[in-house]
Amino acid sequence: MKRILLTTTALVLAAGVAQADVTFSGTAGVALIDDNGASVAKDAVTGVVGTTSVAAVAPQAAVLASTREDMFFESYYDFDITASAESDNGISVSVGFDMGAGNKIDYNDDDKLEAQGKSIGDADVAVSFNGWTLTVDQAGIDNLFDDDFDSQDVSIAGSIAGWSVAMTSDQEGSTSSYSIGGNVAGVALTFTGTDVKAAGGDASKIAASYNMGNGLTLSGSVQDEDGEAEDEGKIGFSYAMDALTVSYTSIKPGGVAGSDSFGDEWDFSVKYTAGAMVASFAIDEADATTIIADYALGGGASAFAAMHDKAGTANDLTTVGLNFAF
């Protein structure tokens, strides 16, 4: 009799528990890197590479300072767990955990080593209903104007009359950002802005693109930030010809004496896609060149090689490696 009563009680309790879908995903990789000393550890006190206080305060940092002046190996993993459930009235809730270690080389964007993983104590919770999603993640949500900054705490995103709308906020810092996107007569428009000082202050940007057909797309943007040096305009095109895509952007820089016309700065790139391989070459007005090759090995694995020669700077990068997604 006791066994029957216990079993019945367990069934009643289980009936009141939401059945969540749990998914596991992540990435891992290894790379051989030469970043021309960019990742050499700096003294936390003086800001100088390899001074005595590094060895005194952080012996491991001193080891990095002596071993990262040339080629070095780096590995990483980033493991994500997401649990989601939906109520009877259509409200869905999801929570995510992000664990990781090591550093991933961002070879196709800003060329920096990116530390992987957050504390498992970070709470990333999203609530969705009727096409709108509210996300809360303390100091972990990207600024919509500049995603290099992720100090926002809450975001809400959805659509109104066919336009996508998103807003973020950091209540403690009294800051926010926004993004609005839609299509008018075939022209894709995006409006973004923020009042986060580190991301541009009272900044705004309007971007537009139009697909002309036959592989040709025209684009343009105007950006306004606190400080004239960050104000700029861009016009450009991309043209796809079978496996080749050619792109050119003419830039009108802001706040640069004697350089305030379209074409004073420019970007040019060529991208080639053939089966599992994607290769690209890019150059700009300063003769900074970028060569990247990615090859899909199958099963979530891919190999990459990249070379960034940034004329007039000490920020060159050469790297080869493997990434694996699961």
Side-chain angles (χ1 to χ4, degrees), residues 7-128:
T7 302
T8 304
T9 303
L11 287 173
V12 171
L13 290 174
V17 177
Q19 301 300 308
D21 294 323
V22 180
T23 60
F24 302 87
S25 63
T27 57
V30 62
L32 180 63
I33 303 165
D34 182 357
D35 62 3
N36 205 31
S39 61
V40 170
K42 292 184 179 180
D43 190 310
V45 178
T46 67
V48 178
V49 174
T51 58
T52 55
S53 61
V54 169
V57 177
Q60 185 178 10
V63 173
L64 289 177
S66 65
T67 60
R68 290 199 164 183
E69 295 180 0
D70 297 309
M71 299 291 287
F72 61 92
F73 278 102
E74 188 65 76
S75 62
Y76 78 94
Y77 81 89
D78 185 32
F79 186 58
D80 302 314
I81 303 173
T82 302
S84 60
E86 184 172 343
S87 67
D88 293 339
N89 58 6
I91 298 176
S92 62
V93 179
S94 67
V95 58
F97 304 93
D98 185 355
M99 298 176 290
N103 297 286
K104 179 181 180 181
I105 184 66
D106 192 2
Y107 64 91
N108 55 6
D109 187 10
D110 59 13
D111 305 341
K112 295 179 181 178
L113 282 170
E114 298 181 341
Q116 297 300 297
K118 299 180 181 179
S119 167
I120 195 170
D122 289 343
D124 181 359
V125 178
V127 180
S128 301

Side-chain angles (χ1 to χ4, degrees), residues 6-7 27-28 32 57 87 90 102 125 129 136-138 143 162 174 180 199 235 249 261 307 311 318:
L6 288 173
T7 302
T27 57
L32 180 63
V57 177
S87 67
V125 178
F129 179 71
V136 178
D137 185 5
Q138 180 70 25
N143 184 289
S174 298
I180 303 171
I235 55 174
T249 301
S261 301
M307 188 280 290
T318 302

